[in-house]
Amino acid sequence: MHHAKPLPSYLVKRYHGWKATSYSENQAWYRRLATEGQRPRAMVISCCDSRVHVTSIFGADQGEFFIHRNIANLVPPYEPDGERHGTSATIEYAVTALKVAHLIVLGHSQCGGVQGCIDMCKGEAPQLEAKESFVGRWMDILKPKFDLVSDVEDPAEQARQFERQAVVASLENLMTFPFVAEAVQNGSISLHGLWTDIGEGGLEYYDPSGKKFLPV
Amino acid sequence: MHHAKPLPSYLVKRYHGWKATSYSENQAWYRRLATEGQRPRAMVISCCDSRVHVTSIFGADQGEFFIHRNIANLVPPYEPDGERHGTSATIEYAVTALKVAHLIVLGHSQCGGVQGCIDMCKGEAPQLEAKESFVGRWMDILKPKFDLVSDVEDPAEQARQFERQAVVASLENLMTFPFVAEAVQNGSISLHGLWTDIGEGGLEYYDPSGKKFLPV
Amino acid sequence: MHHAKPLPSYLVKRYHGWKATSYSENQAWYRRLATEGQRPRAMVISCCDSRVHVTSIFGADQGEFFIHRNIANLVPPYEPDGERHGTSATIEYAVTALKVAHLIVLGHSQCGGVQGCIDMCKGEAPQLEAKESFVGRWMDILKPKFDLVSDVEDPAEQARQFERQAVVASLENLMTFPFVAEAVQNGSISLHGLWTDIGEGGLEYYDPSGKKFLPV
Amino acid sequence: MHHAKPLPSYLVKRYHGWKATSYSENQAWYRRLATEGQRPRAMVISCCDSRVHVTSIFGADQGEFFIHRNIANLVPPYEPDGERHGTSATIEYAVTALKVAHLIVLGHSQCGGVQGCIDMCKGEAPQLEAKESFVGRWMDILKPKFDLVSDVEDPAEQARQFERQAVVASLENLMTFPFVAEAVQNGSISLHGLWTDIGEGGLEYYDPSGKKFLPV
């Protein structure tokens, strides 16, 4: 590995600032977290998108949330076939090792992954349909939900509805994991679906009784 | 999907607090990020561990970092086989769509995933070796590096060295992606390996010339 | 005093969030509470335990409850000997200065203080019997009640019964304060004993006619 | 104990509302807190005053803060004389059993206990000087600090300054406990002094370098 470079100096400076202030104020707790281990209350499955910071929105500090971030906050279905399943590994670790009490799926507006899936479903993204497209193959998880929004004419509205369906799809797929279903049924875990509007700072939660998202 | 519950009220309160302060102060920028799209400077590949917040360490706000978080901050090798590869999808998106300037892999101390891999390599974790173990199959990525640390007698020191090898392995695997290798070679992207000590707030970067980690 | 540090930044952020929302919504009332003084309807004597929030359970806002919290929600007997008695001071203030209408003692499950007292009574906690043990000397208040539960074989059930006896002991000791007994007799105050089950969210009240706790 | 009454029905109703909503949303976590025990990050020493709710100000849920509340948020000096010391017991439990990372003393405006101490120091409160006055004997803890504010002419300003001195006195007395001093010195605990303005929702922290309180 010959290519790694030192950290850009603006990040070095910020790090030293954090060390002298936030770290210093919290040193005792961070040391305890290190020696005793984490005990996060919730796992959050969120998008990699740089505009979505779940810790900001919820004023969370180190130790509170176990966070998996991938393209479009998707959970694939349970497939114990001996292959690599990075997202499934995070869920397995959170539920069986850490025993988190909440599984929160956080979707968001202007999601590039979801838009790519729409483009694929409309036949407008041949590059994503190529076998070699990692993003395309990943977004295949969401494809079966496209029927639910294919009639929506306004493209922005269609995208927003499909982003919410990505959250519902992930919640549904979570329930295909035996250890999740069992934990839900015995009351040791609860599932939560959220969608946030990046520009307006809105937050909605999924209400399964009405099958829709409502403002929190 | 009948199982989703409303958001716990303490998080609802904290969200409304964020909306009225941090969001409000940054509304103009967040709206612009929403309408014009994200343009993150760097992608960070970090662990799901609740004790590692790269945005805190680097004082980063929404829009700065495209963040993928998985178990043990691992990057698998390039495998365009038409299967789902969630981590590879995040890298493809960051490099080819967002054209980030930096790829940062951030490892950390007390990593449960890395410890699990050590246990597997020592034959002490049969449950992780089962075909059905998602964590086990995921940590297989790191196994080839175990020879480099198998002689270290002190278990804590061995774990710390193996955590750093996880960073190196990810950097190496990043270079197997043609679009990453090309971007590195033409100077449009740079790679960075980091390791942070949770308890002490330390930060080290990988220096390929000496093949070791040095304090930032 | 050279050792105080600034508030951790995650709490600073949460505070500013509260200020901009809950405080702002209630500013007129909070200002009136400040200028006219508090007029709480009830005093609650509860445990310091982080899992017991009487304001949550009863949806109480600022101004409703005057709250004393100590180890195991204990009230010592009346002892006007000129020494410091912190708990007695809170009761005196609530009854004679604030003239609260209710005195509520709230016990709870999994109480570490009560468990410590059980261990002492069984001779299994020599460290708590040391003269220097503040927790031990405080839990001495409850010791005389141990005879009532010493025959219970199941340790969990014994602890739950002893936790309820701690509530009864406190109610009895409250009546040794002349100003409490007088207020009870002239009907200007009423006493209430409660016990909550942390994990199940249960709430029971003490019924003196049957000398037992009943679900609310 | 013949005097306990059932819980007032307005509180019964609120409790059932909490059980059906907040408890239900958090059941998994509350059950885990019950079975695995609490691990609060901080201890807060606050006043019984009904207008001061530290959990509101900091958006804290069950499990986050171990809270002791007494008259005027006072900590007495270390006195291991075998007598009952309720406040010292809470500190001993928080530091030695729970190993909290932060000790936060939270003072507040319009504190009746502090005003009583001022009245005593000015010779205007003979009833508080009586041996039998529990409040008077408790507020004796603060008396030695009166010299620092005795020259302040405006009574409201004098009270505010004395309320802040109550916080400083408690921080100083905390350091007389060997287990606190040791934990501070080895970095396993940090002390924080705060003062809140009830009417205006302000919050200040104690800065020992300038020996004054600054807005957070």
Side-chain angles (χ1 to χ4, degrees), chain A residues 25-26 28-29 32 36-37 39 41 61 98-99 101-102 188, chain D residues 25-26 28-29 32 36-37 39 41 61 98-99 101-102 186 188:
Chain A
E25 294 153 13
N26 295 289
W29 180 242
R32 203 173 156 199
E36 295 190 3
R39 193 168 79 164
R41 178 164 173 175
D61 199 35
L98 297 175
K99 301 189 194 306
H102 307 277
S188 65
Chain D
E25 294 153 14
N26 295 289
W29 180 242
R32 204 173 155 199
E36 295 190 4
R39 193 170 78 164
R41 179 164 172 174
D61 198 37
L98 297 175
K99 301 190 192 307
H102 307 277
N186 70 25
S188 65

PDB file of all heavy atoms in Angstrom, chain A residues 25-26 28-29 32 36-37 39 41 61 98-99 101-102 188, chain D residues 25-26 28-29 32 36-37 39 41 61 98-99 101-102 186 188:
ATOM      1  N   GLU A  25     -13.370  17.647  27.684  1.00  0.00           N
ATOM      2  CA  GLU A  25     -14.568  17.766  28.537  1.00  0.00           C
ATOM      3  C   GLU A  25     -15.190  16.401  28.820  1.00  0.00           C
ATOM      4  O   GLU A  25     -15.915  16.235  29.800  1.00  0.00           O
ATOM      5  CB  GLU A  25     -15.625  18.628  27.839  1.00  0.00           C
ATOM      6  CG  GLU A  25     -15.222  20.080  27.666  1.00  0.00           C
ATOM      7  CD  GLU A  25     -15.924  20.715  26.473  1.00  0.00           C
ATOM      8  OE1 GLU A  25     -16.877  20.111  25.964  1.00  0.00           O
ATOM      9  OE2 GLU A  25     -15.500  21.803  26.055  1.00  0.00           O
ATOM     10  N   ASN A  26     -14.974  15.458  27.922  1.00  0.00           N
ATOM     11  CA  ASN A  26     -15.635  14.164  28.017  1.00  0.00           C
ATOM     12  C   ASN A  26     -14.671  13.016  28.278  1.00  0.00           C
ATOM     13  O   ASN A  26     -15.062  11.849  28.156  1.00  0.00           O
ATOM     14  CB  ASN A  26     -16.394  13.882  26.708  1.00  0.00           C
ATOM     15  CG  ASN A  26     -17.528  14.853  26.483  1.00  0.00           C
ATOM     16  OD1 ASN A  26     -18.532  14.807  27.179  1.00  0.00           O
ATOM     17  ND2 ASN A  26     -17.367  15.763  25.525  1.00  0.00           N
ATOM     18  N   ALA A  28     -13.385  11.463  30.777  1.00  0.00           N
ATOM     19  CA  ALA A  28     -13.725  10.400  31.721  1.00  0.00           C
ATOM     20  C   ALA A  28     -14.723   9.422  31.100  1.00  0.00           C
ATOM     21  O   ALA A  28     -14.578   8.208  31.216  1.00  0.00           O
ATOM     22  CB  ALA A  28     -14.300  11.008  32.998  1.00  0.00           C
ATOM     23  N   TRP A  29     -15.723   9.953  30.402  1.00  0.00           N
ATOM     24  CA  TRP A  29     -16.739   9.089  29.802  1.00  0.00           C
ATOM     25  C   TRP A  29     -16.176   8.297  28.635  1.00  0.00           C
ATOM     26  O   TRP A  29     -16.442   7.107  28.491  1.00  0.00           O
ATOM     27  CB  TRP A  29     -17.927   9.929  29.348  1.00  0.00           C
ATOM     28  CG  TRP A  29     -19.026   9.127  28.719  1.00  0.00           C
ATOM     29  CD1 TRP A  29     -19.483   9.222  27.441  1.00  0.00           C
ATOM     30  CD2 TRP A  29     -19.822   8.100  29.348  1.00  0.00           C
ATOM     31  NE1 TRP A  29     -20.506   8.329  27.223  1.00  0.00           N
ATOM     32  CE2 TRP A  29     -20.734   7.628  28.367  1.00  0.00           C
ATOM     33  CE3 TRP A  29     -19.845   7.530  30.621  1.00  0.00           C
ATOM     34  CZ2 TRP A  29     -21.660   6.617  28.639  1.00  0.00           C
ATOM     35  CZ3 TRP A  29     -20.764   6.521  30.889  1.00  0.00           C
ATOM     36  CH2 TRP A  29     -21.658   6.086  29.902  1.00  0.00           C
ATOM     37  N   ARG A  32     -14.236   5.489  29.873  1.00  0.00           N
ATOM     38  CA  ARG A  32     -15.079   4.419  30.396  1.00  0.00           C
ATOM     39  C   ARG A  32     -15.721   3.638  29.257  1.00  0.00           C
ATOM     40  O   ARG A  32     -15.830   2.414  29.312  1.00  0.00           O
ATOM     41  CB  ARG A  32     -16.151   5.023  31.308  1.00  0.00           C
ATOM     42  CG  ARG A  32     -16.641   3.992  32.262  1.00  0.00           C
ATOM     43  CD  ARG A  32     -17.566   4.518  33.305  1.00  0.00           C
ATOM     44  NE  ARG A  32     -18.369   3.391  33.734  1.00  0.00           N
ATOM     45  CZ  ARG A  32     -19.512   3.488  34.365  1.00  0.00           C
ATOM     46  NH1 ARG A  32     -19.984   4.673  34.664  1.00  0.00           N
ATOM     47  NH2 ARG A  32     -20.173   2.419  34.698  1.00  0.00           N
ATOM     48  N   GLU A  36     -15.098  -0.286  29.268  1.00  0.00           N
ATOM     49  CA  GLU A  36     -16.269  -1.125  29.590  1.00  0.00           C
ATOM     50  C   GLU A  36     -17.045  -1.547  28.359  1.00  0.00           C
ATOM     51  O   GLU A  36     -17.938  -2.383  28.450  1.00  0.00           O
ATOM     52  CB  GLU A  36     -17.196  -0.386  30.540  1.00  0.00           C
ATOM     53  CG  GLU A  36     -16.554  -0.131  31.888  1.00  0.00           C
ATOM     54  CD  GLU A  36     -17.547   0.390  32.895  1.00  0.00           C
ATOM     55  OE1 GLU A  36     -18.741   0.491  32.565  1.00  0.00           O
ATOM     56  OE2 GLU A  36     -17.114   0.704  34.012  1.00  0.00           O
ATOM     57  N   GLY A  37     -16.762  -0.939  27.232  1.00  0.00           N
ATOM     58  CA  GLY A  37     -17.489  -1.297  26.018  1.00  0.00           C
ATOM     59  C   GLY A  37     -18.695  -0.421  25.804  1.00  0.00           C
ATOM     60  O   GLY A  37     -19.182   0.239  26.710  1.00  0.00           O
ATOM     61  N   ARG A  39     -22.656   0.458  24.920  1.00  0.00           N
ATOM     62  CA  ARG A  39     -23.992  -0.072  25.179  1.00  0.00           C
ATOM     63  C   ARG A  39     -25.008   0.867  24.524  1.00  0.00           C
ATOM     64  O   ARG A  39     -25.784   1.529  25.212  1.00  0.00           O
ATOM     65  CB  ARG A  39     -24.257  -0.208  26.677  1.00  0.00           C
ATOM     66  CG  ARG A  39     -25.509  -1.043  26.951  1.00  0.00           C
ATOM     67  CD  ARG A  39     -25.676  -1.451  28.413  1.00  0.00           C
ATOM     68  NE  ARG A  39     -26.207  -0.384  29.223  1.00  0.00           N
ATOM     69  CZ  ARG A  39     -26.741  -0.539  30.435  1.00  0.00           C
ATOM     70  NH1 ARG A  39     -26.785  -1.741  30.986  1.00  0.00           N
ATOM     71  NH2 ARG A  39     -27.195   0.473  31.125  1.00  0.00           N
ATOM     72  N   ARG A  41     -28.148   2.489  22.804  1.00  0.00           N
ATOM     73  CA  ARG A  41     -29.582   2.217  22.975  1.00  0.00           C
ATOM     74  C   ARG A  41     -30.238   1.838  21.657  1.00  0.00           C
ATOM     75  O   ARG A  41     -31.206   1.087  21.640  1.00  0.00           O
ATOM     76  CB  ARG A  41     -30.239   3.479  23.541  1.00  0.00           C
ATOM     77  CG  ARG A  41     -31.726   3.370  23.722  1.00  0.00           C
ATOM     78  CD  ARG A  41     -32.223   4.470  24.617  1.00  0.00           C
ATOM     79  NE  ARG A  41     -33.653   4.517  24.714  1.00  0.00           N
ATOM     80  CZ  ARG A  41     -34.335   5.340  25.510  1.00  0.00           C
ATOM     81  NH1 ARG A  41     -33.652   6.177  26.290  1.00  0.00           N
ATOM     82  NH2 ARG A  41     -35.642   5.342  25.556  1.00  0.00           N
ATOM     83  N   ASP A  61     -24.447  11.964  21.520  1.00  0.00           N
ATOM     84  CA  ASP A  61     -23.005  11.943  21.695  1.00  0.00           C
ATOM     85  C   ASP A  61     -22.468  10.523  21.487  1.00  0.00           C
ATOM     86  O   ASP A  61     -23.237   9.575  21.304  1.00  0.00           O
ATOM     87  CB  ASP A  61     -22.628  12.437  23.093  1.00  0.00           C
ATOM     88  CG  ASP A  61     -21.165  12.856  23.159  1.00  0.00           C
ATOM     89  OD1 ASP A  61     -20.651  13.395  22.153  1.00  0.00           O
ATOM     90  OD2 ASP A  61     -20.514  12.639  24.192  1.00  0.00           O
ATOM     91  N   LEU A  98     -24.942  -6.611  20.625  1.00  0.00           N
ATOM     92  CA  LEU A  98     -25.155  -5.397  21.416  1.00  0.00           C
ATOM     93  C   LEU A  98     -26.541  -5.330  22.039  1.00  0.00           C
ATOM     94  O   LEU A  98     -26.753  -4.593  22.995  1.00  0.00           O
ATOM     95  CB  LEU A  98     -24.931  -4.152  20.540  1.00  0.00           C
ATOM     96  CG  LEU A  98     -23.520  -3.984  19.986  1.00  0.00           C
ATOM     97  CD1 LEU A  98     -23.467  -2.790  19.041  1.00  0.00           C
ATOM     98  CD2 LEU A  98     -22.510  -3.800  21.115  1.00  0.00           C
ATOM     99  N   LYS A  99     -27.487  -6.072  21.485  1.00  0.00           N
ATOM    100  CA  LYS A  99     -28.849  -6.104  22.005  1.00  0.00           C
ATOM    101  C   LYS A  99     -29.460  -4.699  22.098  1.00  0.00           C
ATOM    102  O   LYS A  99     -30.005  -4.315  23.138  1.00  0.00           O
ATOM    103  CB  LYS A  99     -28.894  -6.806  23.364  1.00  0.00           C
ATOM    104  CG  LYS A  99     -28.381  -8.247  23.298  1.00  0.00           C
ATOM    105  CD  LYS A  99     -28.637  -8.999  24.578  1.00  0.00           C
ATOM    106  CE  LYS A  99     -27.827 -10.303  24.624  1.00  0.00           C
ATOM    107  NZ  LYS A  99     -28.045 -11.158  23.437  1.00  0.00           N
ATOM    108  N   ALA A 101     -32.078  -1.669  21.687  1.00  0.00           N
ATOM    109  CA  ALA A 101     -33.515  -1.687  21.972  1.00  0.00           C
ATOM    110  C   ALA A 101     -34.345  -1.132  20.817  1.00  0.00           C
ATOM    111  O   ALA A 101     -35.546  -1.375  20.749  1.00  0.00           O
ATOM    112  CB  ALA A 101     -33.797  -0.881  23.240  1.00  0.00           C
ATOM    113  N   HIS A 102     -33.725  -0.352  19.942  1.00  0.00           N
ATOM    114  CA  HIS A 102     -34.440   0.247  18.818  1.00  0.00           C
ATOM    115  C   HIS A 102     -33.665   0.030  17.519  1.00  0.00           C
ATOM    116  O   HIS A 102     -32.444   0.180  17.505  1.00  0.00           O
ATOM    117  CB  HIS A 102     -34.603   1.764  19.001  1.00  0.00           C
ATOM    118  CG  HIS A 102     -35.217   2.166  20.298  1.00  0.00           C
ATOM    119  ND1 HIS A 102     -36.574   2.179  20.522  1.00  0.00           N
ATOM    120  CD2 HIS A 102     -34.660   2.591  21.458  1.00  0.00           C
ATOM    121  CE1 HIS A 102     -36.825   2.593  21.755  1.00  0.00           C
ATOM    122  NE2 HIS A 102     -35.684   2.852  22.346  1.00  0.00           N
ATOM    123  N   SER A 188     -38.257  -7.179  22.909  1.00  0.00           N
ATOM    124  CA  SER A 188     -36.926  -6.701  23.291  1.00  0.00           C
ATOM    125  C   SER A 188     -36.345  -5.725  22.278  1.00  0.00           C
ATOM    126  O   SER A 188     -35.242  -5.204  22.465  1.00  0.00           O
ATOM    127  CB  SER A 188     -35.982  -7.883  23.522  1.00  0.00           C
ATOM    128  OG  SER A 188     -35.773  -8.598  22.334  1.00  0.00           O
TER     129      SER A 188
ATOM    130  N   GLU D  25     -43.331   3.027  23.686  1.00  0.00           N
ATOM    131  CA  GLU D  25     -42.309   3.313  22.673  1.00  0.00           C
ATOM    132  C   GLU D  25     -40.911   2.910  23.134  1.00  0.00           C
ATOM    133  O   GLU D  25     -40.024   2.671  22.319  1.00  0.00           O
ATOM    134  CB  GLU D  25     -42.277   4.825  22.376  1.00  0.00           C
ATOM    135  CG  GLU D  25     -43.527   5.358  21.709  1.00  0.00           C
ATOM    136  CD  GLU D  25     -43.741   6.827  22.012  1.00  0.00           C
ATOM    137  OE1 GLU D  25     -42.798   7.477  22.507  1.00  0.00           O
ATOM    138  OE2 GLU D  25     -44.853   7.315  21.764  1.00  0.00           O
ATOM    139  N   ASN D  26     -40.714   2.886  24.434  1.00  0.00           N
ATOM    140  CA  ASN D  26     -39.387   2.645  24.990  1.00  0.00           C
ATOM    141  C   ASN D  26     -39.284   1.335  25.760  1.00  0.00           C
ATOM    142  O   ASN D  26     -38.300   1.115  26.455  1.00  0.00           O
ATOM    143  CB  ASN D  26     -39.014   3.800  25.931  1.00  0.00           C
ATOM    144  CG  ASN D  26     -38.870   5.110  25.204  1.00  0.00           C
ATOM    145  OD1 ASN D  26     -37.924   5.304  24.456  1.00  0.00           O
ATOM    146  ND2 ASN D  26     -39.820   6.016  25.401  1.00  0.00           N
ATOM    147  N   ALA D  28     -38.582  -1.742  25.182  1.00  0.00           N
ATOM    148  CA  ALA D  28     -37.411  -2.608  25.038  1.00  0.00           C
ATOM    149  C   ALA D  28     -36.229  -2.062  25.845  1.00  0.00           C
ATOM    150  O   ALA D  28     -35.525  -2.801  26.535  1.00  0.00           O
ATOM    151  CB  ALA D  28     -37.042  -2.747  23.563  1.00  0.00           C
ATOM    152  N   TRP D  29     -36.035  -0.751  25.761  1.00  0.00           N
ATOM    153  CA  TRP D  29     -34.905  -0.144  26.466  1.00  0.00           C
ATOM    154  C   TRP D  29     -35.115  -0.162  27.967  1.00  0.00           C
ATOM    155  O   TRP D  29     -34.196  -0.474  28.735  1.00  0.00           O
ATOM    156  CB  TRP D  29     -34.695   1.287  25.977  1.00  0.00           C
ATOM    157  CG  TRP D  29     -33.547   1.995  26.643  1.00  0.00           C
ATOM    158  CD1 TRP D  29     -33.601   3.118  27.412  1.00  0.00           C
ATOM    159  CD2 TRP D  29     -32.153   1.629  26.596  1.00  0.00           C
ATOM    160  NE1 TRP D  29     -32.347   3.479  27.846  1.00  0.00           N
ATOM    161  CE2 TRP D  29     -31.450   2.588  27.367  1.00  0.00           C
ATOM    162  CE3 TRP D  29     -31.449   0.588  25.981  1.00  0.00           C
ATOM    163  CZ2 TRP D  29     -30.062   2.527  27.523  1.00  0.00           C
ATOM    164  CZ3 TRP D  29     -30.056   0.526  26.158  1.00  0.00           C
ATOM    165  CH2 TRP D  29     -29.388   1.490  26.919  1.00  0.00           C
ATOM    166  N   ARG D  32     -34.416  -3.461  29.292  1.00  0.00           N
ATOM    167  CA  ARG D  32     -32.986  -3.756  29.333  1.00  0.00           C
ATOM    168  C   ARG D  32     -32.317  -3.023  30.496  1.00  0.00           C
ATOM    169  O   ARG D  32     -31.448  -3.569  31.176  1.00  0.00           O
ATOM    170  CB  ARG D  32     -32.349  -3.341  28.009  1.00  0.00           C
ATOM    171  CG  ARG D  32     -31.103  -4.120  27.789  1.00  0.00           C
ATOM    172  CD  ARG D  32     -30.468  -3.913  26.450  1.00  0.00           C
ATOM    173  NE  ARG D  32     -29.064  -4.205  26.601  1.00  0.00           N
ATOM    174  CZ  ARG D  32     -28.116  -3.823  25.787  1.00  0.00           C
ATOM    175  NH1 ARG D  32     -28.436  -3.152  24.694  1.00  0.00           N
ATOM    176  NH2 ARG D  32     -26.863  -4.110  26.026  1.00  0.00           N
ATOM    177  N   GLU D  36     -30.288  -5.259  33.064  1.00  0.00           N
ATOM    178  CA  GLU D  36     -28.824  -5.107  33.028  1.00  0.00           C
ATOM    179  C   GLU D  36     -28.305  -4.052  33.989  1.00  0.00           C
ATOM    180  O   GLU D  36     -27.099  -3.940  34.192  1.00  0.00           O
ATOM    181  CB  GLU D  36     -28.369  -4.752  31.607  1.00  0.00           C
ATOM    182  CG  GLU D  36     -28.642  -5.864  30.625  1.00  0.00           C
ATOM    183  CD  GLU D  36     -27.983  -5.600  29.285  1.00  0.00           C
ATOM    184  OE1 GLU D  36     -27.259  -4.594  29.156  1.00  0.00           O
ATOM    185  OE2 GLU D  36     -28.201  -6.407  28.376  1.00  0.00           O
ATOM    186  N   GLY D  37     -29.192  -3.260  34.540  1.00  0.00           N
ATOM    187  CA  GLY D  37     -28.757  -2.222  35.472  1.00  0.00           C
ATOM    188  C   GLY D  37     -28.488  -0.909  34.773  1.00  0.00           C
ATOM    189  O   GLY D  37     -28.322  -0.847  33.560  1.00  0.00           O
ATOM    190  N   ARG D  39     -26.410   2.556  33.833  1.00  0.00           N
ATOM    191  CA  ARG D  39     -25.032   3.000  33.618  1.00  0.00           C
ATOM    192  C   ARG D  39     -25.063   4.475  33.255  1.00  0.00           C
ATOM    193  O   ARG D  39     -24.718   4.867  32.143  1.00  0.00           O
ATOM    194  CB  ARG D  39     -24.348   2.177  32.528  1.00  0.00           C
ATOM    195  CG  ARG D  39     -22.842   2.402  32.514  1.00  0.00           C
ATOM    196  CD  ARG D  39     -22.083   1.437  31.614  1.00  0.00           C
ATOM    197  NE  ARG D  39     -22.164   1.773  30.219  1.00  0.00           N
ATOM    198  CZ  ARG D  39     -21.364   1.280  29.274  1.00  0.00           C
ATOM    199  NH1 ARG D  39     -20.426   0.406  29.592  1.00  0.00           N
ATOM    200  NH2 ARG D  39     -21.498   1.630  28.025  1.00  0.00           N
ATOM    201  N   ARG D  41     -24.275   8.293  32.700  1.00  0.00           N
ATOM    202  CA  ARG D  41     -23.023   8.981  32.363  1.00  0.00           C
ATOM    203  C   ARG D  41     -22.657  10.026  33.404  1.00  0.00           C
ATOM    204  O   ARG D  41     -21.482  10.308  33.607  1.00  0.00           O
ATOM    205  CB  ARG D  41     -23.199   9.644  30.994  1.00  0.00           C
ATOM    206  CG  ARG D  41     -21.993  10.411  30.520  1.00  0.00           C
ATOM    207  CD  ARG D  41     -22.100  10.700  29.047  1.00  0.00           C
ATOM    208  NE  ARG D  41     -21.059  11.583  28.557  1.00  0.00           N
ATOM    209  CZ  ARG D  41     -20.889  11.890  27.288  1.00  0.00           C
ATOM    210  NH1 ARG D  41     -21.694  11.361  26.374  1.00  0.00           N
ATOM    211  NH2 ARG D  41     -19.920  12.689  26.902  1.00  0.00           N
ATOM    212  N   ASP D  61     -33.318  11.176  28.824  1.00  0.00           N
ATOM    213  CA  ASP D  61     -34.307  10.151  29.088  1.00  0.00           C
ATOM    214  C   ASP D  61     -33.846   9.274  30.264  1.00  0.00           C
ATOM    215  O   ASP D  61     -32.727   9.410  30.763  1.00  0.00           O
ATOM    216  CB  ASP D  61     -34.523   9.287  27.840  1.00  0.00           C
ATOM    217  CG  ASP D  61     -35.833   8.509  27.923  1.00  0.00           C
ATOM    218  OD1 ASP D  61     -36.814   9.069  28.455  1.00  0.00           O
ATOM    219  OD2 ASP D  61     -35.894   7.366  27.462  1.00  0.00           O
ATOM    220  N   LEU D  98     -21.400   3.333  40.781  1.00  0.00           N
ATOM    221  CA  LEU D  98     -21.810   3.549  39.388  1.00  0.00           C
ATOM    222  C   LEU D  98     -20.679   4.085  38.517  1.00  0.00           C
ATOM    223  O   LEU D  98     -20.734   3.988  37.298  1.00  0.00           O
ATOM    224  CB  LEU D  98     -22.994   4.529  39.328  1.00  0.00           C
ATOM    225  CG  LEU D  98     -24.272   4.052  40.014  1.00  0.00           C
ATOM    226  CD1 LEU D  98     -25.319   5.164  39.997  1.00  0.00           C
ATOM    227  CD2 LEU D  98     -24.821   2.811  39.317  1.00  0.00           C
ATOM    228  N   LYS D  99     -19.675   4.667  39.136  1.00  0.00           N
ATOM    229  CA  LYS D  99     -18.519   5.211  38.409  1.00  0.00           C
ATOM    230  C   LYS D  99     -18.945   6.191  37.307  1.00  0.00           C
ATOM    231  O   LYS D  99     -18.523   6.085  36.146  1.00  0.00           O
ATOM    232  CB  LYS D  99     -17.679   4.073  37.817  1.00  0.00           C
ATOM    233  CG  LYS D  99     -17.159   3.110  38.881  1.00  0.00           C
ATOM    234  CD  LYS D  99     -16.155   2.140  38.323  1.00  0.00           C
ATOM    235  CE  LYS D  99     -15.872   1.004  39.306  1.00  0.00           C
ATOM    236  NZ  LYS D  99     -15.490   1.486  40.659  1.00  0.00           N
ATOM    237  N   ALA D 101     -19.078   9.523  35.056  1.00  0.00           N
ATOM    238  CA  ALA D 101     -17.956  10.260  34.466  1.00  0.00           C
ATOM    239  C   ALA D 101     -18.011  11.754  34.755  1.00  0.00           C
ATOM    240  O   ALA D 101     -17.000  12.446  34.636  1.00  0.00           O
ATOM    241  CB  ALA D 101     -17.930  10.022  32.958  1.00  0.00           C
ATOM    242  N   HIS D 102     -19.179  12.254  35.103  1.00  0.00           N
ATOM    243  CA  HIS D 102     -19.335  13.686  35.381  1.00  0.00           C
ATOM    244  C   HIS D 102     -20.113  13.885  36.679  1.00  0.00           C
ATOM    245  O   HIS D 102     -21.102  13.190  36.927  1.00  0.00           O
ATOM    246  CB  HIS D 102     -20.135  14.381  34.263  1.00  0.00           C
ATOM    247  CG  HIS D 102     -19.605  14.163  32.879  1.00  0.00           C
ATOM    248  ND1 HIS D 102     -18.586  14.907  32.356  1.00  0.00           N
ATOM    249  CD2 HIS D 102     -19.967  13.296  31.904  1.00  0.00           C
ATOM    250  CE1 HIS D 102     -18.337  14.501  31.114  1.00  0.00           C
ATOM    251  NE2 HIS D 102     -19.160  13.519  30.820  1.00  0.00           N
ATOM    252  N   ASN D 186      -7.132  11.304  38.734  1.00  0.00           N
ATOM    253  CA  ASN D 186      -6.733  10.314  37.719  1.00  0.00           C
ATOM    254  C   ASN D 186      -7.569  10.407  36.439  1.00  0.00           C
ATOM    255  O   ASN D 186      -7.466   9.558  35.556  1.00  0.00           O
ATOM    256  CB  ASN D 186      -6.743   8.890  38.301  1.00  0.00           C
ATOM    257  CG  ASN D 186      -8.142   8.383  38.585  1.00  0.00           C
ATOM    258  OD1 ASN D 186      -9.116   8.835  37.974  1.00  0.00           O
ATOM    259  ND2 ASN D 186      -8.253   7.442  39.495  1.00  0.00           N
ATOM    260  N   SER D 188     -10.775  10.096  35.889  1.00  0.00           N
ATOM    261  CA  SER D 188     -11.939   9.243  35.668  1.00  0.00           C
ATOM    262  C   SER D 188     -13.259   9.953  35.974  1.00  0.00           C
ATOM    263  O   SER D 188     -14.328   9.392  35.797  1.00  0.00           O
ATOM    264  CB  SER D 188     -11.818   7.947  36.470  1.00  0.00           C
ATOM    265  OG  SER D 188     -11.844   8.209  37.840  1.00  0.00           O
TER     266      SER D 188
END
